[in-house]
Amino acid sequence: MKKYNQPVLNKPRLVLAFVFILLANCGVAQARWQADVSVTTLSISAASLKKVSRPTDNINRPTQKVVEATDDNLKCSITIHNENDDDAWGTMMLVVLPVEVTVVSMPANAMLDKSVTATQTFAGYITFNIGHMAVGQNVTVEFTFTKSKYGNKVGAYAYSDSPDPNPANNYKDAIY
């Protein structure tokens, strides 16, 4: 009777290598947990408006009603959105303010930078704790601040504890 060689799969090293390759390929096919948090809109406008009469050059219509700001405060409105297929956990937003402004009003989930005191009222940034955001959810925050004499540019950066496949859309800025 003729003796045959043992099959190749019975050799321990080759079996271990084969199992390793199978396990490595299974990991690639699994879905990844990720949420795409983005700043979709950022707008700055006068905090309060009123209609006033202004003179015109038109002889048939000597005055004209126009809308103008009633004070030196600006209102900022920022909307963030969660896209992709997973919830965003621990969502935060950092808003960088113009030079030498004081925050007049803000929601309860906002916190001024720690340098703001009774003697130093100017704020450099506000942090918003948005928390959990479901897929497709929009969250809008609004706050009011005084006008800066050096320009009124506001920047907002949103992020979460969830991995983000497109961090390029996490930032937006606007100028009044």
Side-chain angles (χ1 to χ4, degrees), residues 39-134:
V39 178
T40 55
T41 61
L42 192 155
S43 63
I44 305 170
S45 60
S48 54
L49 302 171
K50 69 176 181 178
K51 284 190 175 184
V52 295
S53 294
R54 284 232 173 119
T56 66
D57 293 335
N58 187 340
I59 199 164
N60 295 325
R61 190 174 216 183
T63 61
Q64 169 182 332
K65 292 274 187 186
V66 294
V67 176
E68 70 177 28
T70 59
D71 57 23
D72 286 336
N73 293 335
L74 298 176
K75 181 173 103 176
C76 184
S77 179
I78 305 168
T79 301
I80 61 174
H81 177 74
N82 177 30
E83 195 52 56
N84 222 5
D85 58 357
D86 290 308
D87 290 358
W89 296 92
T91 306
M92 301 289 288
M93 183 170 54
L94 180 74
V95 177
V96 180
L97 299 171
V99 176
E100 293 187 1
V101 299
T102 302
V103 175
V104 177
S105 68
M106 62 184 184
N109 67 337
M111 185 174 73
L112 287 175
D113 67 44
K114 296 183 183 354
S115 67
V116 176
T117 62
T119 57
Q120 198 299 96
T121 59
F122 298 137
Y125 65 89
I126 304 173
T127 306
F128 291 87
N129 184 352
I130 307 299
H132 174 254
M133 287 183 72

Coordinates of all heavy atoms in Angstrom, one line a residue, residues 39-134:
V39 N -21.7 72.6 10.5 CA -22.4 73.9 10.7 C -23.0 74.3 9.4 O -22.3 74.5 8.4 CB -21.3 75.0 11.2 CG1 -22.0 76.4 11.3 CG2 -20.6 74.6 12.5
T40 N -24.3 74.3 9.4 CA -25.0 74.6 8.1 C -25.3 76.1 7.9 O -25.2 76.5 6.7 CB -26.3 73.8 8.0 OG1 -27.1 74.1 9.1 CG2 -26.0 72.3 8.0
T41 N -25.7 76.8 8.9 CA -25.9 78.2 8.7 C -25.3 79.0 9.9 O -25.3 78.5 11.0 CB -27.4 78.6 8.6 OG1 -28.1 78.2 9.8 CG2 -28.1 77.9 7.4
L42 N -24.9 80.2 9.6 CA -24.4 81.2 10.6 C -24.8 82.5 10.1 O -24.3 82.9 9.0 CB -22.9 81.0 10.8 CG -22.3 81.8 12.0 CD1 -21.0 81.1 12.5 CD2 -22.1 83.2 11.8
S43 N -25.6 83.2 10.9 CA -26.0 84.6 10.4 C -25.9 85.6 11.6 O -26.1 85.2 12.7 CB -27.5 84.6 9.9 OG -28.4 84.2 10.9
I44 N -25.6 86.8 11.2 CA -25.5 87.9 12.2 C -26.4 89.0 11.7 O -26.4 89.4 10.6 CB -24.1 88.4 12.3 CG1 -23.1 87.2 12.6 CG2 -23.9 89.5 13.4 CD1 -21.6 87.6 12.5
S45 N -27.2 89.5 12.6 CA -28.1 90.6 12.3 C -28.3 91.5 13.5 O -27.8 91.2 14.6 CB -29.5 90.0 11.9 OG -30.1 89.3 13.0
A46 N -28.9 92.7 13.2 CA -29.1 93.6 14.3 C -30.1 93.0 15.3 O -31.0 92.3 14.9 CB -29.7 94.9 13.7
A47 N -29.8 93.2 16.5 CA -30.7 92.5 17.6 C -32.1 93.0 17.6 O -33.0 92.2 17.8 CB -30.0 92.7 18.9
S48 N -32.3 94.3 17.4 CA -33.6 94.8 17.4 C -33.7 95.9 16.3 O -32.8 96.7 16.2 CB -34.0 95.4 18.8 OG -33.0 96.3 19.2
L49 N -34.8 95.9 15.7 CA -35.0 96.8 14.5 C -36.3 97.6 14.8 O -37.2 97.2 15.5 CB -35.2 96.0 13.2 CG -34.0 95.1 12.9 CD1 -34.4 94.2 11.7 CD2 -32.8 95.9 12.5
K50 N -36.3 98.8 14.1 CA -37.6 99.6 14.1 C -37.6 100.4 12.8 O -36.6 100.6 12.2 CB -37.6 100.6 15.3 CG -36.6 101.7 15.3 CD -36.7 102.6 16.4 CE -35.7 103.7 16.3 NZ -35.8 104.7 17.4
K51 N -38.8 100.8 12.4 CA -39.0 101.6 11.2 C -39.0 103.0 11.6 O -39.6 103.5 12.5 CB -40.4 101.3 10.6 CG -40.4 100.0 9.9 CD -41.7 99.8 9.1 CE -41.6 98.6 8.2 NZ -42.8 98.5 7.4
V52 N -38.2 103.8 10.9 CA -38.0 105.2 11.1 C -38.2 105.9 9.8 O -38.0 105.4 8.7 CB -36.7 105.6 11.7 CG1 -36.5 105.0 13.1 CG2 -35.5 105.1 10.8
S53 N -38.6 107.2 9.8 CA -38.7 108.0 8.6 C -37.4 108.7 8.3 O -36.8 109.3 9.2 CB -39.8 109.1 8.8 OG -41.0 108.5 9.0
R54 N -37.0 108.7 7.1 CA -35.8 109.3 6.6 C -36.1 110.3 5.5 O -37.0 109.9 4.6 CB -34.8 108.3 6.1 CG -34.1 107.5 7.2 CD -32.6 107.6 6.9 NE -31.9 107.0 8.1 CZ -31.1 106.0 8.0 NH1 -30.9 105.4 6.8 NH2 -30.5 105.6 9.0
P55 N -35.5 111.4 5.4 CA -35.7 112.3 4.3 C -35.2 111.8 3.0 O -34.2 111.0 3.0 CB -35.0 113.6 4.7 CG -34.1 113.3 5.8 CD -34.6 112.0 6.4
T56 N -35.8 112.1 1.9 CA -35.3 111.7 0.6 C -35.1 112.9 -0.3 O -35.5 114.0 0.0 CB -36.3 110.7 -0.1 OG1 -37.5 111.4 -0.4 CG2 -36.6 109.5 0.8
D57 N -34.5 112.6 -1.5 CA -34.3 113.7 -2.5 C -35.5 113.9 -3.4 O -35.6 114.8 -4.2 CB -33.1 113.4 -3.3 CG -31.8 113.5 -2.5 OD1 -31.8 114.2 -1.5 OD2 -30.8 112.9 -2.9
N58 N -36.5 113.0 -3.3 CA -37.6 113.0 -4.1 C -38.6 114.0 -3.6 O -39.1 113.9 -2.5 CB -38.3 111.6 -4.1 CG -39.4 111.5 -5.1 OD1 -40.0 112.5 -5.6 ND2 -39.7 110.2 -5.5
I59 N -39.0 115.0 -4.4 CA -39.9 116.1 -4.0 C -41.3 115.6 -3.8 O -42.1 116.1 -3.0 CB -39.8 117.2 -5.1 CG1 -40.4 118.5 -4.4 CG2 -40.6 116.9 -6.3 CD1 -40.1 119.7 -5.2
N60 N -41.7 114.5 -4.6 CA -43.0 113.9 -4.4 C -43.2 113.1 -3.2 O -44.3 112.8 -2.7 CB -43.4 113.1 -5.7 CG -43.5 114.0 -6.9 OD1 -43.9 115.1 -6.8 ND2 -43.0 113.4 -8.0
R61 N -42.1 112.6 -2.7 CA -42.1 111.7 -1.5 C -40.9 112.2 -0.6 O -39.8 111.7 -0.7 CB -41.8 110.3 -1.9 CG -42.1 109.3 -0.9 CD -42.0 107.9 -1.4 NE -42.9 107.1 -0.7 CZ -43.1 105.9 -0.9 NH1 -42.3 105.3 -1.8 NH2 -43.9 105.2 -0.3
P62 N -41.2 113.2 0.3 CA -40.1 113.8 1.0 C -39.5 112.9 2.1 O -38.4 113.1 2.5 CB -40.8 115.0 1.7 CG -42.2 114.8 1.6 CD -42.5 113.8 0.5
T63 N -40.3 111.9 2.6 CA -39.8 111.0 3.6 C -40.0 109.5 3.1 O -40.9 109.3 2.4 CB -40.4 111.2 5.0 OG1 -41.8 111.0 4.9 CG2 -40.1 112.6 5.5
Q64 N -39.2 108.7 3.7 CA -39.4 107.3 3.4 C -39.2 106.4 4.6 O -38.3 106.8 5.4 CB -38.3 106.9 2.3 CG -38.1 105.5 2.1 CD -37.0 105.3 1.0 OE1 -36.7 106.1 0.2 NE2 -36.3 104.2 1.1
K65 N -40.0 105.4 4.8 CA -39.8 104.5 6.0 C -38.7 103.5 5.7 O -38.7 102.8 4.7 CB -41.1 103.8 6.3 CG -42.3 104.7 6.8 CD -42.1 104.8 8.3 CE -43.4 105.6 8.7 NZ -43.3 105.9 10.1
V66 N -37.7 103.4 6.6 CA -36.7 102.5 6.5 C -36.5 101.7 7.8 O -36.9 102.2 8.9 CB -35.3 103.1 6.1 CG1 -35.4 103.7 4.7 CG2 -34.9 104.2 7.1
V67 N -35.9 100.5 7.7 CA -35.7 99.7 9.0 C -34.2 100.0 9.4 O -33.3 99.9 8.6 CB -35.9 98.3 8.7 CG1 -35.6 97.4 9.9 CG2 -37.4 98.0 8.3
E68 N -34.0 100.3 10.7 CA -32.7 100.4 11.2 C -32.6 99.8 12.6 O -33.6 99.6 13.3 CB -32.2 101.9 11.2 CG -32.9 102.8 12.1 CD -32.4 104.2 12.1 OE1 -31.9 104.6 11.1 OE2 -32.5 104.8 13.2
A69 N -31.4 99.6 13.0 CA -31.1 99.0 14.3 C -31.4 100.0 15.4 O -31.2 101.2 15.2 CB -29.7 98.6 14.4
T70 N -32.0 99.6 16.5 CA -32.3 100.5 17.6 C -31.2 100.5 18.6 O -31.2 101.4 19.5 CB -33.6 100.0 18.3 OG1 -33.4 98.7 18.8 CG2 -34.8 100.1 17.4
D71 N -30.3 99.6 18.6 CA -29.2 99.6 19.6 C -27.9 99.1 18.9 O -27.9 98.7 17.8 CB -29.5 98.9 20.9 CG -29.9 97.4 20.6 OD1 -29.5 96.9 19.6 OD2 -30.6 96.9 21.5
D72 N -26.9 99.0 19.7 CA -25.6 98.5 19.2 C -25.4 97.0 19.5 O -24.2 96.6 19.6 CB -24.4 99.3 19.8 CG -24.4 100.7 19.2 OD1 -24.8 100.8 18.1 OD2 -23.8 101.6 19.8
N73 N -26.4 96.2 19.6 CA -26.3 94.8 19.8 C -26.6 94.0 18.6 O -27.4 94.4 17.7 CB -27.3 94.3 20.9 CG -26.9 94.9 22.3 OD1 -25.8 95.2 22.5 ND2 -27.9 95.0 23.1
L74 N -25.9 92.9 18.4 CA -26.0 92.0 17.3 C -26.5 90.6 17.8 O -26.2 90.2 18.8 CB -24.7 91.8 16.5 CG -24.1 93.1 15.9 CD1 -22.8 92.8 15.3 CD2 -25.1 93.7 14.9
K75 N -27.4 90.0 16.9 CA -27.9 88.7 17.2 C -27.2 87.7 16.3 O -27.2 87.9 15.1 CB -29.4 88.6 17.1 CG -30.0 87.3 17.4 CD -31.5 87.4 17.4 CE -32.0 86.7 16.1 NZ -33.5 86.6 16.0
C76 N -26.7 86.6 16.8 CA -26.1 85.6 16.0 C -26.9 84.3 16.1 O -27.3 83.9 17.2 CB -24.7 85.3 16.5 SG -23.8 84.1 15.5
S77 N -27.2 83.7 15.0 CA -28.0 82.5 14.9 C -27.2 81.4 14.2 O -26.7 81.7 13.1 CB -29.3 82.7 14.2 OG -30.0 81.5 14.1
I78 N -27.0 80.3 14.8 CA -26.1 79.2 14.2 C -26.9 77.9 14.2 O -27.5 77.5 15.3 CB -24.8 79.0 15.0 CG1 -24.1 80.3 15.1 CG2 -23.9 77.9 14.4 CD1 -22.9 80.3 16.1
T79 N -26.9 77.2 13.1 CA -27.6 75.9 13.0 C -26.6 74.8 12.7 O -25.8 75.0 11.8 CB -28.7 75.9 11.9 OG1 -29.6 76.9 12.2 CG2 -29.4 74.6 11.8
I80 N -26.6 73.8 13.5 CA -25.7 72.6 13.2 C -26.6 71.4 12.8 O -27.8 71.3 13.3 CB -24.7 72.3 14.3 CG1 -25.4 71.9 15.6 CG2 -23.8 73.4 14.5 CD1 -24.5 71.5 16.7
H81 N -26.1 70.5 12.0 CA -26.8 69.4 11.5 C -26.0 68.1 11.6 O -24.8 68.1 11.5 CB -27.1 69.6 10.0 CG -27.9 68.5 9.3 ND1 -29.2 68.3 9.5 CD2 -27.5 67.6 8.4 CE1 -29.6 67.3 8.8 NE2 -28.5 66.8 8.1
N82 N -26.7 67.0 12.0 CA -26.1 65.7 12.0 C -26.5 64.9 10.8 O -27.7 64.6 10.7 CB -26.4 65.0 13.3 CG -25.7 63.6 13.3 OD1 -24.7 63.4 12.7 ND2 -26.4 62.7 14.0
E83 N -25.6 64.5 10.0 CA -25.9 63.7 8.8 C -25.3 62.3 9.0 O -24.8 62.0 10.1 CB -25.4 64.4 7.6 CG -25.9 63.9 6.3 CD -27.4 63.8 6.2 OE1 -28.1 64.8 6.4 OE2 -27.9 62.7 5.9
N84 N -25.2 61.5 8.0 CA -24.7 60.2 7.9 C -25.7 59.2 8.5 O -26.9 59.5 8.6 CB -23.3 60.1 8.6 CG -22.3 59.3 7.8 OD1 -22.7 58.8 6.7 ND2 -21.1 59.1 8.3
D85 N -25.2 58.1 9.1 CA -26.2 57.1 9.5 C -26.1 56.7 11.0 O -26.6 55.7 11.4 CB -26.0 55.8 8.7 CG -24.6 55.2 8.7 OD1 -23.7 55.9 9.4 OD2 -24.3 54.2 8.1
D86 N -25.4 57.5 11.8 CA -25.3 57.3 13.2 C -25.5 58.6 14.0 O -25.3 59.7 13.5 CB -23.9 56.7 13.6 CG -23.7 55.3 13.0 OD1 -24.5 54.5 13.3 OD2 -22.6 55.1 12.3
D87 N -26.0 58.4 15.3 CA -26.2 59.5 16.1 C -24.8 60.1 16.5 O -23.8 59.5 16.6 CB -26.9 59.1 17.4 CG -28.3 58.7 17.2 OD1 -28.8 58.8 16.0 OD2 -29.0 58.3 18.1
A88 N -24.9 61.4 16.8 CA -23.7 62.2 17.3 C -23.8 62.3 18.8 O -24.8 62.9 19.3 CB -23.6 63.5 16.6
W89 N -22.9 61.8 19.5 CA -22.9 61.8 21.0 C -21.9 62.9 21.5 O -20.8 63.1 20.9 CB -22.5 60.5 21.5 CG -23.5 59.4 21.2 CD1 -23.5 58.6 20.1 CD2 -24.7 59.1 21.8 NE1 -24.6 57.8 20.0 CE2 -25.4 58.1 21.1 CE3 -25.3 59.7 23.0 CZ2 -26.6 57.6 21.5 CZ3 -26.6 59.1 23.4 CH2 -27.2 58.1 22.6
G90 N -22.3 63.6 22.5 CA -21.4 64.6 23.1 C -21.1 65.7 22.2 O -19.9 66.2 22.1
T91 N -22.1 66.2 21.5 CA -21.9 67.2 20.5 C -21.6 68.6 21.2 O -22.3 68.9 22.1 CB -23.1 67.4 19.5 OG1 -23.3 66.1 19.0 CG2 -22.8 68.4 18.4
M92 N -20.6 69.3 20.7 CA -20.2 70.6 21.3 C -20.0 71.6 20.1 O -19.8 71.2 19.0 CB -18.9 70.5 22.0 CG -18.9 69.5 23.2 SD -19.8 70.1 24.6 CE -18.8 71.4 25.2
M93 N -20.1 72.9 20.4 CA -19.8 73.9 19.5 C -19.1 75.0 20.1 O -19.4 75.5 21.2 CB -21.1 74.5 18.8 CG -20.8 75.5 17.8 SD -22.3 76.0 16.8 CE -23.4 76.5 18.1
L94 N -18.0 75.4 19.5 CA -17.2 76.5 20.0 C -17.4 77.7 19.1 O -17.2 77.6 17.8 CB -15.7 76.1 20.0 CG -14.7 77.2 20.5 CD1 -14.9 77.4 22.0 CD2 -13.3 76.8 20.1
V95 N -17.8 78.9 19.6 CA -18.0 80.1 18.8 C -17.0 81.1 19.2 O -16.9 81.5 20.4 CB -19.4 80.6 19.0 CG1 -19.7 81.9 18.2 CG2 -20.5 79.5 18.6
V96 N -16.2 81.5 18.2 CA -15.2 82.6 18.4 C -15.8 83.9 18.1 O -16.4 84.1 17.1 CB -13.9 82.3 17.5 CG1 -12.9 83.4 17.8 CG2 -13.3 81.0 17.8
L97 N -15.7 84.8 19.1 CA -16.4 86.1 19.0 C -15.4 87.2 18.5 O -14.2 87.1 18.5 CB -16.9 86.5 20.4 CG -17.9 85.6 21.0 CD1 -18.2 85.9 22.4 CD2 -19.2 85.6 20.2
P98 N -16.0 88.4 18.0 CA -15.1 89.5 17.6 C -14.4 90.1 18.8 O -14.7 89.8 20.0 CB -16.1 90.5 17.1 CG -17.4 89.7 16.8 CD -17.4 88.6 17.8
V99 N -13.4 90.9 18.5 CA -12.6 91.6 19.5 C -13.4 92.5 20.4 O -14.2 93.3 19.8 CB -11.4 92.3 18.9 CG1 -10.6 93.1 19.9 CG2 -10.6 91.4 18.1
E100 N -13.2 92.5 21.7 CA -13.8 93.4 22.6 C -15.4 93.5 22.5 O -15.9 94.6 22.4 CB -13.2 94.8 22.5 CG -11.8 94.9 22.9 CD -11.2 96.3 22.9 OE1 -11.9 97.3 22.7 OE2 -10.0 96.4 23.2
V101 N -16.0 92.3 22.7 CA -17.5 92.3 22.7 C -17.9 91.7 24.1 O -17.2 90.9 24.7 CB -18.1 91.5 21.6 CG1 -17.8 92.2 20.2 CG2 -17.8 90.1 21.6
T102 N -19.1 92.1 24.5 CA -19.7 91.5 25.7 C -20.9 90.8 25.3 O -21.7 91.3 24.5 CB -20.1 92.7 26.7 OG1 -18.9 93.4 27.0 CG2 -20.7 92.1 27.9
V103 N -21.1 89.6 25.8 CA -22.3 88.8 25.5 C -23.4 89.3 26.4 O -23.3 89.4 27.6 CB -22.0 87.3 25.8 CG1 -23.3 86.5 25.6 CG2 -20.9 86.8 24.9
V104 N -24.5 89.7 25.7 CA -25.7 90.3 26.3 C -26.6 89.2 26.8 O -27.2 89.2 27.9 CB -26.4 91.2 25.4 CG1 -27.7 91.8 26.0 CG2 -25.5 92.4 25.0
S105 N -26.9 88.2 25.9 CA -27.8 87.1 26.3 C -27.3 85.8 25.5 O -26.8 85.9 24.4 CB -29.2 87.4 25.9 OG -29.4 87.4 24.5
M106 N -27.5 84.6 26.2 CA -27.2 83.3 25.6 C -28.0 82.3 26.3 O -28.5 82.5 27.4 CB -25.7 83.1 25.8 CG -25.2 83.0 27.2 SD -23.5 82.7 27.3 CE -23.3 82.5 29.1
P107 N -28.2 81.1 25.6 CA -29.0 80.1 26.2 C -28.3 79.4 27.4 O -27.2 79.6 27.7 CB -29.2 79.1 25.1 CG -28.1 79.4 24.1 CD -27.7 80.8 24.3
A108 N -29.1 78.6 28.1 CA -28.6 77.9 29.3 C -27.5 76.9 29.0 O -26.7 76.6 29.9 CB -29.8 77.2 30.0
N109 N -27.5 76.3 27.8 CA -26.4 75.3 27.5 C -25.1 76.0 27.0 O -24.2 75.3 26.5 CB -26.9 74.3 26.4 CG -27.2 75.0 25.1 OD1 -27.4 76.2 24.9 ND2 -27.1 74.2 24.0
A110 N -25.0 77.3 27.2 CA -23.8 78.0 26.7 C -23.0 78.4 27.9 O -23.5 78.7 29.0 CB -24.2 79.2 25.9
M111 N -21.6 78.5 27.7 CA -20.7 78.9 28.8 C -19.7 79.8 28.2 O -19.0 79.5 27.2 CB -20.0 77.7 29.4 CG -19.2 78.0 30.6 SD -18.5 76.5 31.4 CE -17.3 76.0 30.2
L112 N -19.5 81.0 28.8 CA -18.5 82.0 28.4 C -17.1 81.5 28.8 O -16.9 80.7 29.7 CB -18.7 83.3 29.1 CG -19.9 84.1 28.6 CD1 -20.0 85.4 29.4 CD2 -19.7 84.5 27.1
D113 N -16.1 82.0 28.1 CA -14.7 81.6 28.4 C -14.4 82.0 29.8 O -15.1 83.0 30.4 CB -13.7 82.1 27.4 CG -13.6 83.6 27.4 OD1 -13.5 84.2 28.5 OD2 -13.5 84.2 26.3
K114 N -13.5 81.4 30.5 CA -13.2 81.6 31.9 C -12.6 82.9 32.2 O -12.5 83.3 33.4 CB -12.4 80.4 32.4 CG -13.2 79.1 32.3 CD -12.4 78.0 32.9 CE -13.0 76.6 32.8 NZ -14.3 76.5 32.3
S115 N -12.1 83.7 31.2 CA -11.5 84.9 31.4 C -12.5 86.1 31.7 O -12.1 87.1 32.2 CB -10.6 85.3 30.3 OG -11.4 85.6 29.1
V116 N -13.8 85.8 31.5 CA -14.8 86.9 31.7 C -15.0 87.0 33.2 O -15.3 86.0 33.9 CB -16.1 86.6 31.0 CG1 -17.2 87.6 31.3 CG2 -15.9 86.5 29.5
T117 N -14.9 88.2 33.7 CA -15.1 88.5 35.2 C -15.9 89.8 35.3 O -16.2 90.4 34.3 CB -13.8 88.7 35.9 OG1 -13.1 89.8 35.3 CG2 -12.9 87.4 35.8
A118 N -16.2 90.2 36.5 CA -16.9 91.5 36.7 C -16.1 92.7 36.2 O -16.7 93.7 35.7 CB -17.2 91.6 38.2
T119 N -14.8 92.6 36.3 CA -14.0 93.7 35.8 C -13.5 93.6 34.4 O -13.2 94.6 33.7 CB -12.7 93.9 36.7 OG1 -12.0 92.7 36.7 CG2 -13.1 94.2 38.1
Q120 N -13.5 92.4 33.8 CA -13.1 92.1 32.5 C -14.3 91.4 31.8 O -14.4 90.2 31.8 CB -11.9 91.2 32.4 CG -11.1 91.2 31.1 CD -11.8 90.7 29.9 OE1 -12.4 91.5 29.2 NE2 -11.9 89.4 29.7
T121 N -15.2 92.2 31.2 CA -16.4 91.7 30.6 C -16.3 91.2 29.2 O -17.3 90.6 28.7 CB -17.5 92.8 30.7 OG1 -17.1 93.9 29.9 CG2 -17.8 93.2 32.1
F122 N -15.2 91.5 28.5 CA -15.1 91.0 27.1 C -14.9 89.5 27.0 O -14.1 89.0 27.8 CB -13.9 91.7 26.4 CG -14.0 93.2 26.4 CD1 -13.0 94.1 26.6 CD2 -15.3 93.8 26.0 CE1 -13.1 95.4 26.5 CE2 -15.4 95.2 25.9 CZ -14.3 96.0 26.2
A123 N -15.6 88.9 26.1 CA -15.5 87.5 25.9 C -14.8 87.1 24.6 O -15.0 87.8 23.6 CB -16.9 86.9 25.9
G124 N -14.0 86.1 24.6 CA -13.3 85.7 23.4 C -14.1 84.6 22.7 O -14.0 84.5 21.5
Y125 N -14.8 83.7 23.5 CA -15.5 82.6 22.9 C -16.6 82.2 23.8 O -16.6 82.5 25.0 CB -14.5 81.4 22.5 CG -13.9 80.8 23.7 CD1 -14.5 79.7 24.4 CD2 -12.7 81.2 24.2 CE1 -14.0 79.1 25.5 CE2 -12.1 80.6 25.3 CZ -12.8 79.6 26.0 OH -12.2 79.0 27.1
I126 N -17.5 81.4 23.2 CA -18.6 80.8 23.9 C -18.6 79.3 23.5 O -18.4 78.9 22.4 CB -20.0 81.3 23.5 CG1 -20.1 82.8 23.7 CG2 -21.1 80.6 24.3 CD1 -21.4 83.4 23.2
T127 N -18.8 78.4 24.5 CA -18.9 77.0 24.3 C -20.3 76.5 24.5 O -20.9 76.9 25.5 CB -18.0 76.2 25.2 OG1 -16.7 76.7 25.1 CG2 -18.0 74.7 24.9
F128 N -20.9 75.8 23.5 CA -22.3 75.3 23.6 C -22.2 73.8 23.8 O -21.6 73.1 23.0 CB -23.1 75.6 22.4 CG -23.4 77.1 22.2 CD1 -22.5 77.9 21.6 CD2 -24.5 77.7 22.7 CE1 -22.7 79.3 21.4 CE2 -24.8 79.0 22.5 CZ -23.9 79.8 21.9
N129 N -22.9 73.3 24.8 CA -23.0 71.8 25.0 C -24.3 71.4 24.4 O -25.4 71.6 24.9 CB -23.0 71.5 26.5 CG -23.0 70.0 26.7 OD1 -23.2 69.2 25.8 ND2 -22.9 69.6 28.0
I130 N -24.2 70.9 23.1 CA -25.4 70.4 22.4 C -25.9 69.1 22.9 O -27.1 68.8 22.9 CB -25.1 70.4 20.9 CG1 -24.5 71.8 20.4 CG2 -26.4 70.0 20.1 CD1 -25.4 73.0 20.6
G131 N -25.0 68.2 23.2 CA -25.3 66.8 23.7 C -25.6 65.9 22.5 O -24.9 65.9 21.5
H132 N -26.6 65.0 22.7 CA -26.9 64.0 21.7 C -27.7 64.6 20.6 O -28.6 65.3 20.8 CB -27.7 62.9 22.4 CG -28.2 61.8 21.5 ND1 -29.5 61.8 21.1 CD2 -27.6 60.8 20.9 CE1 -29.7 60.8 20.3 NE2 -28.5 60.2 20.1
M133 N -27.3 64.2 19.3 CA -28.0 64.6 18.1 C -28.3 63.3 17.3 O -27.5 62.6 17.0 CB -27.2 65.5 17.3 CG -27.0 66.9 17.8 SD -26.1 68.0 16.7 CE -27.3 68.2 15.4
A134 N -29.6 63.2 17.0 CA -30.0 62.0 16.2 C -29.7 62.3 14.8 O -29.4 63.4 14.3 CB -31.6 61.8 16.4

